[in-house]
Amino acid sequence: DTEVTQTPKHLVMGMTNKKSLKCEQHMGHRAMYWYKQKAKKPPELMFVYSYEKLSINESVPSRFSPECPNSSLLNLHLHALQPEDSALYLCASSQGRGGPGETQYFGPGTRLLVL
Amino acid sequence: AQTVTQSQPEMSVQEAETVTLSCTYDTSESDYYLFWYKQPPSRQMILVIRQEAYKQQNATENRFSVNFQKAAKSFSLKISDSQLGDAAMYFCAYWPGANSKLTFGKGITLSVRP
């Protein structure tokens, strides 16, 4: 099973709202990733968590706040977003130990629209 | 910095025919992973095939195979017996390994003609 789940599938929010995106995997992976993807473009890395600790932050604005409460769950808290933040947000996970078989598996994404 | 280049923005193939998607990359590392991901309009990013740089043998997955040329830093994807369901955007990606940045090419939109 290589399933990564994301909720919600769609989200519409105003610029003053606070919302959260959720990502979950039960593959025993210890690395989890958030990506932002605009239409017809490749995903752009936002954050990497390794063993529940933030290991990479790609200079993402503070209105995006990641959280990894446990090894299976990854959240992305959203606050005071701008219309240009509208995009598909993808979560991915990988074993996190390197070596043979290390692969990033993606969830179906959350389509976010900021009004 | 690593870069991945997919120079063709679009390609078209007749159903049941074979098509090859090109990808080149640049790195100074000797150990890394290469991937092809497929993203249909339904948006899920699906792993098509993976290649570990230390393996000389080209990876194959059913109708999908790669031509990995490490010295030339080339990683092309061959789709045999193309099916309508193969229509999607395909991304080539380079990855040094766990907890590092996955670098994508710009992607190529593949259409399949019935």
Side-chain angles (χ1 to χ4, degrees), chain A residues 2 27 29 93-105, chain B residues 32-33 35 37 47 50-55 95 97-98:
Chain A
T2 56
M27 296 178 278
H29 289 176
S93 71
S94 72
Q95 291 175 358
R97 294 184 290 275
E102 185 77 33
T103 302
Q104 283 196 34
Y105 295 97
Chain B
Y32 47 87
Y33 305 84
F35 304 95
Y37 285 95
L47 176 69
R50 62 190 300 280
Q51 175 82 42
E52 287 152 351
Y54 70 87
K55 289 186 177 178
W95 196 34

Side-chain angles (χ1 to χ4, degrees), chain A residues 9 31 33 35 37 40 42-43 50 56 58 99-104 106-109, chain B residues 33 35 37 39 43-45 47 50 52 54 89 91 95 98-102 104-105:
Chain A
K9 289 185 177 168
Y33 311 78
Y35 291 85
Q37 186 181 26
K40 303 287 189 183
S50 175
I56 296 178
E58 288 282 303
E102 185 77 33
T103 302
Q104 283 196 34
F106 286 81
Chain B
Y33 305 84
F35 304 95
Y37 285 95
Q39 190 174 37
R43 82 192 180 198
Q44 172 107 39
M45 188 78 76
L47 176 69
R50 62 190 300 280
E52 287 152 351
Y54 70 87
M89 194 154 192
F91 292 99
W95 196 34
N99 315 314
S100 59
K101 184 175 180 177
L102 183 62
F104 289 90

